[in-house]
Protein backbone atom coordinates (compact mmCIF):
# COMPACT_ATOMS: atom_id res chain seq x y z
CA UNK A 1 0.00 0.00 0.00
CA UNK A 2 1.32 3.45 -0.89
CA UNK A 3 1.72 5.53 2.26
CA UNK A 4 1.72 9.30 2.65
CA UNK A 5 5.54 9.47 2.45
CA UNK A 6 5.59 7.70 -0.90
CA UNK A 7 2.89 10.03 -2.18
CA UNK A 8 4.69 13.11 -0.86
CA UNK A 9 8.02 12.02 -2.37
CA UNK A 10 6.44 11.46 -5.79
CA UNK A 11 4.55 14.76 -5.62
CA UNK A 12 7.66 16.81 -4.84
CA UNK A 13 9.76 14.96 -7.39
CA UNK A 14 7.19 16.07 -9.95
CA UNK A 15 7.59 19.79 -9.21
CA UNK A 16 11.32 20.15 -8.51
CA UNK A 17 12.11 22.90 -11.02
CA UNK A 18 8.93 24.87 -10.36
CA UNK A 19 9.37 24.59 -6.58
CA UNK A 20 13.01 25.64 -6.78
CA UNK A 21 12.16 28.68 -8.92
CA UNK A 22 9.48 29.80 -6.47
CA UNK A 23 11.95 29.83 -3.57
CA UNK A 24 15.02 31.06 -5.41
CA UNK A 25 14.91 34.38 -3.52
CA UNK A 26 15.66 32.54 -0.25
CA UNK A 27 13.12 34.42 1.86
CA UNK A 28 13.95 37.89 0.54
CA UNK A 29 10.21 38.58 0.52
CA UNK A 30 9.57 36.88 3.88
CA UNK A 31 11.13 39.05 6.60
CA UNK A 32 9.65 37.16 9.54
CA UNK A 33 10.97 33.79 8.39
CA UNK A 34 14.31 35.35 7.54
CA UNK A 35 14.58 36.89 11.00
CA UNK A 36 13.75 33.65 12.77
CA UNK A 37 16.33 31.71 10.75
CA UNK A 38 18.93 34.37 11.50
CA UNK A 39 18.14 34.17 15.22
CA UNK A 40 18.32 30.37 15.08
CA UNK A 41 21.74 30.49 13.40
CA UNK A 42 23.06 32.97 15.96
CA UNK A 43 21.90 30.81 18.86
CA UNK A 44 23.36 27.65 17.30
CA UNK A 45 26.71 29.37 16.84
CA UNK A 46 26.59 30.36 20.51
CA UNK A 47 26.38 26.71 21.57
CA UNK A 48 29.88 26.15 20.17
CA UNK A 49 28.59 23.38 17.90
CA UNK A 50 27.85 24.87 14.46
CA UNK A 51 26.85 21.57 12.85
CA UNK A 52 23.24 21.85 11.67
CA UNK A 53 20.80 19.81 9.59
CA UNK A 54 18.24 21.35 7.26
CA UNK A 55 15.65 18.57 7.51
CA UNK A 56 13.35 18.55 4.50
CA UNK A 57 15.77 20.81 2.65
CA UNK A 58 14.02 20.73 -0.72
CA UNK A 59 16.21 22.45 -3.36
CA UNK A 60 18.77 23.47 -0.73
CA UNK A 61 18.14 27.22 -0.64
CA UNK A 62 17.94 27.39 3.15
CA UNK A 63 20.87 25.01 3.62
CA UNK A 64 22.90 27.56 1.69
CA UNK A 65 21.53 30.37 3.85
CA UNK A 66 22.54 28.55 7.03
CA UNK A 67 26.01 28.06 5.59
CA UNK A 68 26.28 31.78 4.86
CA UNK A 69 25.19 32.47 8.44
CA UNK A 70 28.19 30.58 9.76
CA UNK A 71 26.85 27.07 10.31
CA UNK A 72 28.30 23.78 9.14
CA UNK A 73 25.01 23.01 7.43
CA UNK A 74 23.92 20.01 5.41
CA UNK A 75 20.58 19.10 3.86
CA UNK A 76 18.35 16.03 4.06
CA UNK A 77 15.22 15.37 2.04
CA UNK A 78 12.83 12.53 1.24
CA UNK A 79 12.64 13.35 -2.48
CA UNK A 80 15.62 12.26 -4.60
CA UNK A 81 14.78 14.86 -7.25
CA UNK A 82 15.14 17.61 -4.67
CA UNK A 83 18.48 16.22 -3.52
CA UNK A 84 19.75 16.07 -7.09
CA UNK A 85 18.75 19.69 -7.66
CA UNK A 86 20.31 20.82 -4.37
CA UNK A 87 23.61 19.13 -5.20
CA UNK A 88 23.73 20.82 -8.61
CA UNK A 89 22.73 24.22 -7.26
CA UNK A 90 25.08 24.10 -4.25
CA UNK A 91 27.96 21.75 -5.10
CA UNK A 92 30.07 22.85 -2.13
CA UNK A 93 27.44 21.68 0.36
CA UNK A 94 26.36 18.21 1.46
CA UNK A 95 22.94 16.77 0.68
CA UNK A 96 21.55 13.29 1.31
CA UNK A 97 18.28 11.50 0.75
CA UNK A 98 16.75 10.52 4.11
CA UNK A 99 13.50 9.88 5.92
CA UNK A 100 12.69 12.14 8.83
CA UNK A 101 11.85 9.31 11.20
CA UNK A 102 15.29 7.73 10.74
CA UNK A 103 17.86 10.47 10.26
CA UNK A 104 21.35 9.26 9.25
CA UNK A 105 22.93 11.18 12.12
CA UNK A 106 24.53 9.94 15.32
CA UNK A 107 23.02 10.71 18.74
CA UNK A 108 23.58 14.18 20.22
CA UNK A 109 25.69 15.29 17.25
CA UNK A 110 24.13 18.56 16.16
CA UNK A 111 23.98 22.09 17.43
CA UNK A 112 20.84 22.76 15.40
CA UNK A 113 18.01 21.32 13.33
CA UNK A 114 15.95 23.44 10.94
CA UNK A 115 12.55 22.04 9.96
CA UNK A 116 11.13 24.74 7.70
CA UNK A 117 7.59 23.70 6.73
CA UNK A 118 8.99 20.19 6.26
CA UNK A 119 6.66 18.37 8.65
CA UNK A 120 3.41 19.86 7.36
CA UNK A 121 2.54 16.71 5.38
CA UNK A 122 2.95 14.41 8.38
CA UNK A 123 -0.32 13.04 9.83
CA UNK A 124 -0.74 14.25 13.43
CA UNK A 125 -0.41 10.77 14.90
CA UNK A 126 3.07 10.38 13.36
CA UNK A 127 4.48 13.76 14.32
CA UNK A 128 5.71 12.77 17.83
CA UNK A 129 8.02 10.16 16.24
CA UNK A 130 9.60 12.80 14.01
CA UNK A 131 10.09 15.24 16.87
CA UNK A 132 11.66 12.53 19.01
CA UNK A 133 14.09 11.76 16.20
CA UNK A 134 15.06 15.41 15.91
CA UNK A 135 15.60 15.57 19.67
CA UNK A 136 17.79 12.46 19.47
CA UNK A 137 20.29 14.02 17.08
CA UNK A 138 20.57 17.31 19.00
CA UNK A 139 23.30 17.81 21.56
CA UNK A 140 22.24 19.14 24.98
CA UNK A 141 21.27 22.82 24.54
CA UNK A 142 21.01 22.28 20.76
CA UNK A 143 18.29 24.23 18.96
CA UNK A 144 15.31 23.23 16.82
CA UNK A 145 13.47 25.78 14.69
CA UNK A 146 10.23 24.38 13.33
CA UNK A 147 8.10 26.46 10.96
CA UNK A 148 4.56 25.45 10.03
CA UNK A 149 1.09 26.64 9.15
CA UNK A 150 -0.72 27.75 12.31
CA UNK A 151 -4.41 27.69 13.09
CA UNK A 152 -6.65 29.16 15.79
CA UNK A 153 -8.58 25.88 15.91
CA UNK A 154 -8.11 23.52 18.84
CA UNK A 155 -6.99 20.58 16.69
CA UNK A 156 -4.79 20.18 13.59
CA UNK A 157 -6.62 21.00 10.37
CA UNK A 158 -6.04 18.97 7.22
CA UNK A 159 -6.04 20.95 3.98
CA UNK A 160 -5.24 20.52 0.30
CA UNK A 161 -1.72 21.90 -0.11
CA UNK A 162 -0.72 22.57 -3.73
CA UNK A 163 1.79 19.71 -3.69
CA UNK A 164 0.41 17.14 -1.22
CA UNK A 165 -2.16 17.01 1.61
CA UNK A 166 -0.96 18.94 4.64
CA UNK A 167 -1.91 19.99 8.18
CA UNK A 168 -1.99 23.25 10.07
CA UNK A 169 -1.36 23.17 13.82
CA UNK A 170 -2.40 25.14 16.90
CA UNK A 171 0.90 26.56 18.19
CA UNK A 172 0.16 25.51 21.78
CA UNK A 173 -0.46 21.91 20.73
CA UNK A 174 2.75 21.70 18.75
CA UNK A 175 4.66 23.27 21.66
CA UNK A 176 3.29 20.51 23.90
CA UNK A 177 4.55 17.86 21.49
CA UNK A 178 7.99 19.49 21.48
CA UNK A 179 8.05 19.37 25.27
CA UNK A 180 6.99 15.70 25.23
CA UNK A 181 9.99 14.99 22.98
CA UNK A 182 12.44 16.55 25.45
CA UNK A 183 12.62 19.94 23.75
CA UNK A 184 11.93 23.15 25.68
CA UNK A 185 10.06 25.75 23.59
CA UNK A 186 11.24 29.25 24.50
CA UNK A 187 10.24 31.53 21.60
CA UNK A 188 7.47 31.71 19.04
CA UNK A 189 6.41 33.98 16.22
CA UNK A 190 2.95 33.91 14.68
CA UNK A 191 1.96 36.23 11.87
CA UNK A 192 -0.74 36.56 9.26
CA UNK A 193 0.63 36.22 5.73
CA UNK A 194 -2.76 37.18 4.28
CA UNK A 195 -2.75 33.80 2.58
CA UNK A 196 -5.74 32.61 0.61
CA UNK A 197 -5.98 29.62 2.96
CA UNK A 198 -6.31 31.88 5.99
CA UNK A 199 -3.62 30.11 8.05
CA UNK A 200 -0.99 31.83 10.13
CA UNK A 201 2.71 31.42 9.47
CA UNK A 202 4.13 30.02 12.69
CA UNK A 203 7.65 29.47 14.02
CA UNK A 204 8.70 27.75 17.27
CA UNK A 205 12.21 27.73 18.71
CA UNK A 206 13.04 25.00 21.20
CA UNK A 207 16.15 23.89 23.06
CA UNK A 208 17.22 20.30 23.80
CA UNK A 209 16.97 19.77 27.54
Amino acid sequence: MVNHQDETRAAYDGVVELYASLFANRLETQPFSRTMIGTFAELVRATGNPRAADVGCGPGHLTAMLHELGLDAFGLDLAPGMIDHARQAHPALRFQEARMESLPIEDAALGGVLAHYSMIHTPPGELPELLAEQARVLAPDGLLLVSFFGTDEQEPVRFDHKVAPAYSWPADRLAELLADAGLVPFARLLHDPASERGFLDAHLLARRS
Side-chain angles (χ1 to χ4, degrees):
M1 180 180 297
V2 176
N3 62 26
H4 78 92
Q5 290 191 352
D6 296 328
E7 293 174 343
T8 300
R9 180 196 300 109
Y12 274 97
D13 270 345
V15 296
V16 172
E17 297 304 323
L18 174 61
Y19 189 91
S21 68
L22 290 174
F23 294 99
N25 63 19
R26 296 192 306 175
L27 307 184
E28 290 173 9
T29 61
Q30 301 179 45
F32 292 108
S33 292
R34 192 169 65 247
T35 297
M36 287 299 285
I37 290 175
T39 300
F40 164 78
E42 179 178 348
L43 293 173
V44 172
R45 291 197 309 269
T47 69
N49 179 359
R51 192 179 177 206
D54 179 8
V55 178
C57 66
H61 56 301
L62 297 186
T63 315
M65 179 180 289
L66 294 178
H67 175 73
E68 292 172 2
L69 291 169
L71 299 185
D72 178 14
F74 60 97
L76 305 170
D77 201 276
L78 178 68
M82 288 291 183
I83 292 298
D84 288 343
H85 185 282
R87 287 171 174 165
Q88 293 176 30
H90 310 285
L93 301 180
R94 292 165 290 139
F95 296 95
Q96 182 177 345
E97 186 179 345
R99 300 174 77 96
M100 295 181 73
E101 75 276 12
S102 55
L103 299 174
I105 304 167
E106 59 270 27
D107 294 351
L110 303 183
V113 171
L114 175 67
H116 189 78
Y117 295 92
S118 56
M119 295 188 288
I120 61 171
H121 304 294
T122 303
E126 297 179 22
L127 193 59
E129 181 182 4
L130 269 58
L131 295 175
E133 180 68 352
Q134 292 171 27
R136 178 189 68 79
V137 302
L138 281 171
D141 294 326
L143 283 300
L144 168 68
L145 174 58
V146 55
S147 300
F148 57 100
F149 294 111
T151 178
D152 291 327
E153 300 295 330
Q154 298 300 308
E155 300 293 333
V157 177
R158 188 181 187 277
F159 67 95
D160 290 327
H161 185 274
K162 291 181 179 179
V163 179
Y167 300 83
S168 64
W169 276 84
D172 286 341
R173 284 289 307 279
L174 191 51
E176 290 172 359
L177 293 184
L178 289 169
D180 290 343
L183 298 158
V184 181
F186 65 92
R188 69 175 65 182
L189 173 61
L190 306 175
H191 64 97
D192 182 359
S195 86
E196 60 188 26
R197 288 185 294 264
F199 297 129
L200 299 172
D201 278 340
H203 314 271
L204 285 174
L205 260 173
R207 180 177 287 110
R208 182 74 169 95
S209 59

